[in-house]
Amino acid sequence: MSTSAKNVPAATDVARLAGVSQSAVSRAFTSGASISSKTRSKVMAAAEELGYRPNQLARSLLRGRSQLIGVVLGNMENPFFPLALETLSKQLNTHGHKTLVFTNEANQQADTSIEDMLNYRVDALILMATTLSSSLAEQCQAAGIPVVFVNRISHAMCCSSVTGDNDHGARLIAQHLVDAGYQRIAFMAGIETSSTSRDRELAFTDALIAMGRDKPMRVVGHFNRVGAMQAMRQLLEQAQRPDAVFCANDHMAMAAIDVARYEYSLTPGTDIGIAGFDDIPHAHWPGYDITTYSQPLDALISQAVERVLSQSNQYDAIHTVVKGNLIMRSSTSPTQ
Amino acid sequence: MSTSAKNVPAATDVARLAGVSQSAVSRAFTSGASISSKTRSKVMAAAEELGYRPNQLARSLLRGRSQLIGVVLGNMENPFFPLALETLSKQLNTHGHKTLVFTNEANQQADTSIEDMLNYRVDALILMATTLSSSLAEQCQAAGIPVVFVNRISHAMCCSSVTGDNDHGARLIAQHLVDAGYQRIAFMAGIETSSTSRDRELAFTDALIAMGRDKPMRVVGHFNRVGAMQAMRQLLEQAQRPDAVFCANDHMAMAAIDVARYEYSLTPGTDIGIAGFDDIPHAHWPGYDITTYSQPLDALISQAVERVLSQSNQYDAIHTVVKGNLIMRSSTSPTQ
DNA sequence: TGCTGTATTGCATAGCTATGCAAAATAGTG
DNA sequence: CACTATTTTGCATAGCTATGCAATACAGCA
């Protein structure tokens, strides 16, 4: 009883039923093709009757464009990425593209997964929180497949990227923490090899030094919750405990706040200042209320989509920086 | 300079360079095909040199199997779904399948997005937090495409489903709340049309009544944070304020806790008991620590994957229920 | 060496649709 | 109505790979 149906009708079946040629069927489903409305409706009726739907695989094969966009994501634990995927998928959809998704181990090279995607002849690649070997990057370039990194800058120079304003944001945070009167300021890095974490750290450190402060104490949270909690404990066990921490993203800042509050009975803001980066929705949940620098998701994603879908200048590596805003909240108000 | 490269080599190019036929190239890339190791290595060398990779679109077209699985997700705001996607994508990958993803508006019919996916000849559909018109479900059945709902039961009877044990879980929660001594127990529904919410509500209500309680006060949180916050306020504004709430999932329970604690200065557990469902990682964050009934993600997903990839019995609608556990935490300890 | 049995190989075709080109049909004009 | 300009249609082919089948090469054995 479980015999495979295999009833999937093809264009020729529809053609036969409608009494037209296969070409007519094809044209009926191609907007802008040269076909009379009369035959189109004949075709549509027959198609409806048979349950025909054009085979996108054949179409893609012939056209050389699959309308598929490969997306590689890292850690789904950080809400930033699911939300990014959601808006990305929606935006691609309005442009008539589908999303072929692959979730990678955080910060792993995405090579093997990307090779698979290339086999499907994806029209472009959007990479978040992953790395790409330069050899594969060259292959993409050779094949004419645009690659754009989001929230990450590639080492392979041929790839474009769209990021938030890590430099400016980190400097504003530094300034803000100093203005607020914090004295011993620390930094919690994410994944050390990621440009995201490094850029924020460099700018943050630089700004502090420029204001006459010492180089901040430094700890590594690996962009995940467990790592950030450990890192925070490490900070709070210091003899000279810091009185403020800039975490390289909000997700780690949340973990830091939980450790400070529930393991060390410190009140965020007054006892210890904690800042993040991204402005994910959770950052203004009442239990966290994190000072942060925003990465506007819609803008970030639409830039990436634009870059990927615009045919021109595919081979120029364009690094787009989307500005955000410093958002001051109670996690860094010592006077309150 | 931005002329499209179009250098993508095909099997015939490799064949020419290697001095073999195109069939040989095909066989070299097909595991288990009849080919001598000598020619295979010749082919591989030539392929390497040209940067050839087999065109999965052509392969899929010919084989009638695309190795693509369509996945439709709802609200990415609830961490349950991103995590589910992550494990799903990984599991599919180990089985040699790719994930074609679509994020839908919560609880919308996924018809249009699914039609697009059908055009790509997905081998199967996995639907989370969406609905499917019965006509489209029939089409899928006719085309031999297995459809399985995860965390949701379809109205169209022909589709399989994998869910947590909503009935048992809700009953255990009811029992637990009564045992803990709560008196005025309320229920926060999710999306009213979803089977998930309804099943939990029915069992919960039934269990309470069986224990001689009144039918619980009822409020609707729509499975999202804003909705849940409003619903919680509504509850707490009652003259006869409830002293315990069972929220249809953890995501809403978190919102409920925030409202109780930060807007009404109530201590969860002692002043008001709050329970959830799912046991998402956040449920044991120290700021929440939610009593809940677990939905084991790995088990849930591997059941779904198995159902979808097993060729046999595609047309029997099998409803799999994965058991979880009641997990008691401080959000429902009135004595503490 | 000569035979048979097996492992490899190439040929030709199928799978489904889009599109250039020429033929046919239609519309437009006097 | 005759004739041209335009639209619509069908034919044939291309796009890339997998696979049945027949042909070839190879190995094994006496």
Side-chain angles (χ1 to χ4, degrees):
Chain A
M1 221 52 89
S2 74
T3 51
S4 204
K6 283 287 182 188
N7 276 337
V8 208
T12 53
D13 302 319
V14 178
R16 196 177 310 119
L17 179 60
V20 297
S21 73
Q22 179 266 319
S23 326
V25 176
S26 168
R27 287 193 252 261
F29 281 93
T30 306
S31 73
S34 168
I35 187 171
S36 73
S37 57
K38 198 170 57 178
T39 48
R40 164 167 272 144
S41 55
K42 266 198 300 186
V43 168
M44 288 312 193
E48 173 84 10
E49 186 176 338
L50 296 180
Y52 168 77
R53 48 182 72 261
N55 188 328
Q56 188 65 238
L57 297 173
R59 180 181 285 213
S60 301
L61 180 58
L62 199 48
R63 284 224 178 117
R65 314 206 70 229
S66 65
Q67 310 288 97
L68 293 174
I69 307 290
V71 176
V72 181
L73 300 171
N75 186 5
M76 282 299 205
E77 176 189 310
N78 177 358
F80 182 80
F81 293 110
L83 294 173
L85 174 62
E86 188 170 11
T87 73
L88 179 55
S89 155
K90 277 180 187 156
Q91 288 197 21
L92 288 176
N93 226 59
T94 63
H95 290 271
H97 291 261
K98 293 280 155 284
T99 309
L100 197 56
V101 80
F102 190 85
T103 62
N104 212 38
E105 302 299 323
N107 203 46
Q108 291 292 313
Q109 272 205 353
D111 277 30
T112 52
S113 31
I114 287 181
E115 300 215 36
D116 291 343
M117 289 180 159
L118 292 180
N119 291 348
Y120 281 95
R121 299 302 191 255
V122 290
D123 291 343
L125 286 170
I126 294 181
L127 309 181
M128 308 180 81
T130 33
T131 300
L132 185 61
S133 77
S134 54
S135 103
L136 195 52
E138 281 166 23
Q139 268 187 66
C140 292
Q141 178 164 6
I145 298 175
V147 176
V148 41
F149 285 83
V150 175
N151 196 36
R152 184 69 70 96
I153 290 187
S154 66
H155 305 291
M157 291 312 291
C158 68
C159 301
S160 291
S161 70
V162 180
T163 63
D165 198 342
N166 296 322
D167 186 88
H168 189 227
R171 285 175 196 280
L172 286 182
I173 299 269
Q175 178 79 54
H176 168 72
L177 291 178
V178 168
D179 288 352
Y182 293 106
Q183 294 301 321
R184 293 177 308 286
I185 301 178
F187 177 76
M188 184 186 293
I191 290 170
E192 300 203 71
T193 54
S194 84
S195 68
T196 315
S197 181
R198 265 184 332 192
D199 291 351
R200 291 172 193 173
E201 178 169 9
L202 256 53
F204 185 66
T205 305
D206 187 65
L208 285 181
I209 290 174
M211 288 183 282
R213 299 303 185 96
D214 291 342
K215 196 171 174 191
M217 195 179 313
R218 178 182 193 278
V219 91
V220 182
H222 302 285
F223 280 147
N224 66 53
R225 183 170 173 93
V226 171
M229 290 180 83
Q230 286 170 348
M232 189 64 181
R233 291 185 196 111
Q234 200 179 322
L235 278 181
L236 295 181
E237 292 295 337
Q238 300 287 322
Q240 272 282 66
R241 174 184 284 183
D243 64 353
V245 189
F246 170 38
C247 302
N249 69 11
D250 288 345
H251 181 57
M252 294 198 299
M254 292 170 79
I257 286 177
D258 282 342
V259 167
R261 179 184 284 142
Y262 294 105
E263 297 183 15
Y264 291 83
S265 301
L266 300 175
T267 302
T270 58
D271 296 328
I272 185 161
I274 295 177
F277 207 104
D278 283 350
D279 194 34
I280 58 178
H282 308 61
H284 65 254
W285 286 15
Y288 296 98
D289 206 41
I290 303 170
T291 292
T292 191
Y293 183 84
S294 63
Q295 295 212 70
L297 207 49
D298 284 322
L300 222 57
I301 297 297
S302 50
Q303 286 288 332
V305 169
E306 193 178 316
R307 172 104 318 120
V308 139
L309 297 187
S310 78
Q311 298 291 13
S312 60
N313 297 332
Q314 299 187 351
Y315 304 125
D316 305 338
I318 303 178
H319 298 279
T320 306
V321 174
V322 176
K323 298 217 171 301
N325 293 294
L326 176 68
I327 297 169
M328 286 171 284
R329 299 206 179 93
S330 66
S331 73
T332 58
S333 13
T335 55
Q336 192 182 30
Chain B
M1 221 51 93
S2 73
T3 51
S4 204
K6 283 288 180 187
N7 276 338
V8 208
T12 52
D13 302 318
V14 179
R16 197 177 311 120
L17 179 61
V20 298
S21 72
Q22 179 266 318
S23 325
V25 177
S26 168
R27 288 194 250 262
F29 281 92
T30 306
S31 74
S34 168
I35 187 171
S36 74
S37 58
K38 198 169 58 174
T39 48
R40 165 168 269 146
S41 56
K42 267 198 299 183
V43 168
M44 287 312 193
E48 173 85 8
E49 186 177 336
L50 295 180
Y52 167 78
R53 49 181 73 257
N55 188 329
Q56 187 66 237
L57 297 173
R59 179 181 287 213
S60 302
L61 178 59
L62 200 48
R63 285 222 178 119
R65 312 205 71 228
S66 65
Q67 310 287 100
L68 293 174
I69 307 290
V71 176
V72 181
L73 300 170
N75 189 5
M76 282 298 204
E77 178 190 308
N78 178 359
F80 182 81
F81 293 110
L83 294 173
L85 174 62
E86 189 171 10
T87 73
L88 178 55
S89 155
K90 277 179 186 154
Q91 287 196 23
L92 288 176
N93 226 60
T94 64
H95 291 271
H97 291 261
K98 294 281 155 281
T99 309
L100 197 57
V101 77
F102 190 85
T103 61
N104 213 37
E105 301 300 322
N107 204 46
Q108 291 293 312
Q109 272 205 353
D111 278 28
T112 54
S113 30
I114 287 180
E115 300 217 32
D116 291 343
M117 290 179 158
L118 292 179
N119 291 348
Y120 281 95
R121 300 304 191 252
V122 290
D123 291 343
L125 286 171
I126 294 181
L127 308 182
M128 309 179 81
T130 32
T131 299
L132 185 61
S133 76
S134 54
S135 105
L136 195 52
E138 282 166 21
Q139 269 186 65
C140 292
Q141 178 164 6
I145 297 175
V147 177
V148 42
F149 285 81
V150 175
N151 196 35
R152 184 69 72 95
I153 291 187
S154 66
H155 304 291
M157 291 312 292
C158 68
C159 301
S160 291
S161 69
V162 181
T163 63
D165 198 341
N166 296 322
D167 186 88
H168 189 226
R171 286 176 195 280
L172 286 183
I173 298 270
Q175 178 80 52
H176 168 73
L177 290 178
V178 167
D179 287 351
Y182 293 105
Q183 294 302 320
R184 291 178 307 286
I185 301 179
F187 177 75
M188 185 186 295
I191 289 171
E192 299 201 71
T193 55
S194 84
S195 68
T196 316
S197 182
R198 264 183 330 188
D199 290 351
R200 292 173 194 172
E201 177 169 8
L202 255 54
F204 185 66
T205 305
D206 187 65
L208 285 182
I209 289 173
M211 289 183 280
R213 298 304 184 97
D214 291 341
K215 197 171 173 193
M217 194 179 314
R218 178 183 194 278
V219 92
V220 182
H222 303 286
F223 280 146
N224 66 52
R225 182 168 173 91
V226 170
M229 291 180 82
Q230 286 170 349
M232 189 64 180
R233 291 185 196 112
Q234 200 179 322
L235 277 182
L236 296 181
E237 292 297 335
Q238 300 287 324
Q240 273 281 65
R241 176 185 282 182
D243 64 354
V245 188
F246 170 38
C247 302
N249 70 10
D250 288 345
H251 182 58
M252 293 198 300
M254 293 171 78
I257 286 177
D258 282 342
V259 166
R261 178 183 284 143
Y262 294 105
E263 297 183 16
Y264 290 82
S265 302
L266 301 174
T267 301
T270 57
D271 295 328
I272 185 161
I274 296 178
F277 207 105
D278 283 350
D279 194 33
I280 59 178
H282 308 62
H284 63 254
W285 287 15
Y288 296 99
D289 206 43
I290 302 170
T291 291
T292 190
Y293 183 84
S294 62
Q295 296 212 69
L297 207 49
D298 283 322
L300 222 55
I301 297 297
S302 51
Q303 286 289 333
V305 168
E306 192 178 316
R307 172 103 321 120
V308 138
L309 297 186
S310 79
Q311 299 290 13
S312 60
N313 297 333
Q314 299 186 352
Y315 304 124
D316 303 339
I318 304 177
H319 298 278
T320 306
V321 174
V322 176
K323 297 217 173 300
N325 293 295
L326 177 67
I327 298 170
M328 286 171 282
R329 298 207 180 93
S330 66
S331 73
T332 57
S333 11
T335 55
Q336 193 183 28

